[in-house]
Amino acid sequence: MRPRTRTTRKAGVLTGGLLATSLAAGLLTQTPAAADPAVTDYTLSVDAAGTGPAIDPTMYGVFFEDINNAADGGLYAELVQNRSFEFGPADNRSYTPLTAWQQTASGGATGTLKVVDDAERLNERNRNHLRVDLAGTGGTTGRFGVVNSGYGAGIALKEGRRYDFSVWARTDNPAGTRLTADLRTADGTVLTAPLGITVRGDRWTKYTGTLVPKVTTTAGRLAVTAAGSGTLRLDMVSLFPRDTYKGRPNGLRKDLAEKIAALNPGFLRFPGGCLVNTGSHHAYEAPDWERRRSYQWKDTIGPVEQRAVNANFWGYHQSYGLGYYEYFQFAEDIGAMPLPVVPALVTGCGQNQATDDPALLKRHIQDTLDLIEFANGPVTSTWGRKRAEMGHPKPFGLTHLGVGNEENLPDAFFARFTEFRKAITAEHPEITIVSNSGPASEGATFDRLWDLNRRAGVDMVDEHYYNSPQWFLENNDRYDSYDRNGPKVFLGEYASRDNRFANALSEAAFMTGLERNADVVKLASYAPLLADVDKNQWRPDMIWFDNNRSWGSTSYEVQKLFMNNTGDRVVPSRASVTPSVSGPITGAVGLSTWATSAAYDDVEVTAADGATLLKDDFSTGASRWTPAAGRGTWAVQDGAYVQTDEAAEDTLVTAGDPGWHDYDLKVKATKKSGKEGFLVAFGVRGTGNHYWWNLGGWGNTRSAVEKAVDGGKQTLLEHPTTIETGRTYDIRVQVRGRQVTLYLDGQKWGSFTDDKAAEPFRQVVTRDKGDLVVKVVNAQAAAARTSIDLGTSKVAPTARVTTLEGAPDAVNTADAHPIRPRTSTLEGIGRTFTYTFPAHSVTFLRVATR
């Protein structure tokens, strides 16, 4: 960690850039701000005597989902990958039961390895185990067995640290089988004294020991070998660092858990996410032993060797070593309110299937009631006793519970949610039951679910959205108009679509609006939380890691700053806005596809005065069109411009002048084959900056107009239109100023006006134990010289300043951390003072009041 510089400065004197220059010179000097043209003037006034909404201590929290290898190989500290030989094609097409394992032999020893699913298994739910048939060769020194490569580059080991090894084993050799475990490098160099174990008897027994490496490495291996003859059976081969978070057995990786704890989260939402409600809702049981199931909490408790396993929605394996008990324990350890989510028997995340099985629904509802008993019941209850047997007699204090996640079938979901709600309320009226509004910030599903939730008087609605930085800057006032008497909002998943500092700044600007509306937005969590840098499915993410290191993204630093300085009440405040000039929508036109082959013909662009800007029937080729994305296979076929690669995504080609405005675009489009429909772009101003009409998107389930700014997309308009294969559609897009009207086959499909201001200067003021905390986000290239009126003279003469500042493209990595908090002291504080907030910055001024 680089040491933080503590400086003292006078109010009204220093800008962020000047501060850095002055520190380098070893002195503080005053430069007239007017000399710097890159400064915008603002005012900020605080009504110190006013009272805004109370802020719950649980407002900001974290959302953990096993995505990006966040659990196994991530937060869960187990170092052995595929410890119970359960990997298989159900998890990932590339997996086998010996994934991450290799055969090893020395001293002339031989044998055979086979993963078996037979009656000799460890237990019914742990189906597979490794059978090792030893040939009896190699004498007393030869050894035969397996080596595990761990996760990523290997097993990260630290010299002199203790690592706890365990294995379940049995042998048919009456004299016993000598088993050895050691840690080694990839080339076989042994790093520890060997751990010798004699396996005796043909009944499963757990054997344990400790290994201490002599060197530090990030590419270690665990070897388990045996000598002699006979059949040796192995299962649940495990290695944990002794130094887990809070020293708990079956515990959590310490550096990751500590980074989460440092956020000071008010709640922990778990376990998802898409893996909660996707797949089959049936149990892990005979005869099918279904391996692609929704997340069912009873599968994940009890001794780890007796827990079920499951395929993960994100394309890998779940061991369930990190299960519901561990989630509850972690929430307690970090002082967070637990907030579990259970499936509602309607799949989301693109699967979009409702299970119509009354008996199965009844079972899941009872499972949810049992979950509440597991969390809160006395030790004399069935499930409270189970909790106590696992080591926690005291109840966990569950108060909130989510049912469902991002369902795209609003009526089917809500019918089932209502049954859950009725049963839970009847037995546990103290539990706050959380519904949801689907997978996006707007659209038909969002509107329908909000209508259903509002009419039913639901306690709380979980909103999810991942949008562009532009959207977050434009929608700071999103919750200003929400009904104060309606359901409260849980913003369970949100993020700007990248990990650059510009994204974090837009999120910070949006968070000032969340706090201002703390009477409506009761809970909020950025997502996803964790990501393996070498193996991930989603970006952005808050905390990144490899097998040895972890680091917070720029968004982590923003979240940490807000979460540790929330305050207990909003103080009314007002600020001036940034002068802005908004011209018409300008740009060229484009054609694209997404996992689809499509043909385009008769493209015509006409100015508002009737002049032809572009006319192309492709009879002379496609020379006017330029690949913008460099993806897909485009060619003129049968007089049309055709993209033939069904696997290619975002295949945009463009034509025309980026200065065009006020025009009509007409084109004929035909879906030839594939998963989706076609995309027609307008207002194209370069890579990642355009509008497009996405017809038949999201697996041909709906259509929308999306706006992309610097690669980040947001939805402006949505309808449930789907596209037929082989049918030719007449498409017309009319652009007038900032208003766009769209026609499909001669019928008006929709219209919108894109005139929201992306305000870069945002603020909120809260009171925290007597302090005023002035929180200002300046997401622009100009410094913000601000005249501040605190509304009271009863303030301390100094303020504590915490600043995040940097280049908008800055990204935190394992080796470089350009965005980190800088603290300083500001002198000369009174009722009024001037402070210049640096360009591209988040600044918190903490002022004590008297």
Side-chain angles (χ1 to χ4, degrees), residues 13-26:
V13 174
L14 295 175
T15 67
L18 176 60
L19 174 64
T21 304
S22 302
L23 288 174

Side-chain angles (χ1 to χ4, degrees), residues 229-370:
S229 62
T231 296
L232 174 70
R233 300 176 188 270
L234 304 177
D235 206 346
M236 294 298 291
V237 183
S238 175
L239 186 73
F240 271 86
R242 178 74 58 85
D243 190 20
T244 60
Y245 184 62
K246 293 190 177 291
R248 298 196 180 281
N250 194 52
L252 306 181
R253 180 170 150 177
K254 189 175 182 179
D255 62 322
L256 292 176
E258 286 179 342
K259 281 184 172 59
I260 296 169
L263 292 165
N264 190 27
F267 65 87
L268 171 65
R269 176 181 177 241
F270 63 89
C274 286
L275 61 78
V276 164
N277 65 333
T278 49
S280 167
H281 299 297
H282 290 279
Y284 190 54
E285 62 187 10
D288 298 326
W289 298 104
E290 175 61 56
R291 280 292 303 274
R292 292 176 176 171
R293 309 183 311 283
S294 57
Y295 200 107
Q296 300 174 44
W297 76 272
K298 290 179 180 178
D299 286 345
T300 76
I301 65 167
V304 290
E305 68 274 7
Q306 295 177 15
R307 298 183 188 183
V309 295
N310 201 4
N312 188 305
F313 172 82
W314 297 105
Y316 53 93
H317 179 87
Q318 297 179 87
S319 75
Y320 285 157
L322 175 56
Y324 257 71
Y325 177 84
E326 289 77 21
Y327 286 124
F328 277 120
Q329 183 65 75
F330 184 45
E332 182 177 272
D333 284 344
I334 62 177
M337 175 184 78
L339 203 167
V341 182
V342 299
L345 273 70
V346 177
T347 56
C349 304
Q351 294 185 357
N352 303 334
Q353 297 290 325
T355 298
D356 189 12
D357 184 335
L360 187 60
L361 176 62
K362 183 178 180 180
R363 193 267 286 176
H364 275 266
I365 291 172
Q366 185 58 52
D367 282 352
T368 303
L369 296 174
D370 293 344

Side-chain angles (χ1 to χ4, degrees), residues 150-191:
Y151 293 91
I155 300 174
L157 303 169
K158 292 183 171 61
E159 179 185 358
R161 299 287 181 89
R162 293 179 176 273
Y163 294 83
D164 293 324
F165 169 80
S166 64
V167 63
W168 286 80
R170 58 189 290 186
T171 180
D172 67 0
N173 189 327
T177 300
R178 187 65 176 167
L179 193 69
T180 299
D182 64 63
L183 297 172
R184 56 179 63 177
T185 62
D187 65 6
T189 303
V190 177
L191 305 177

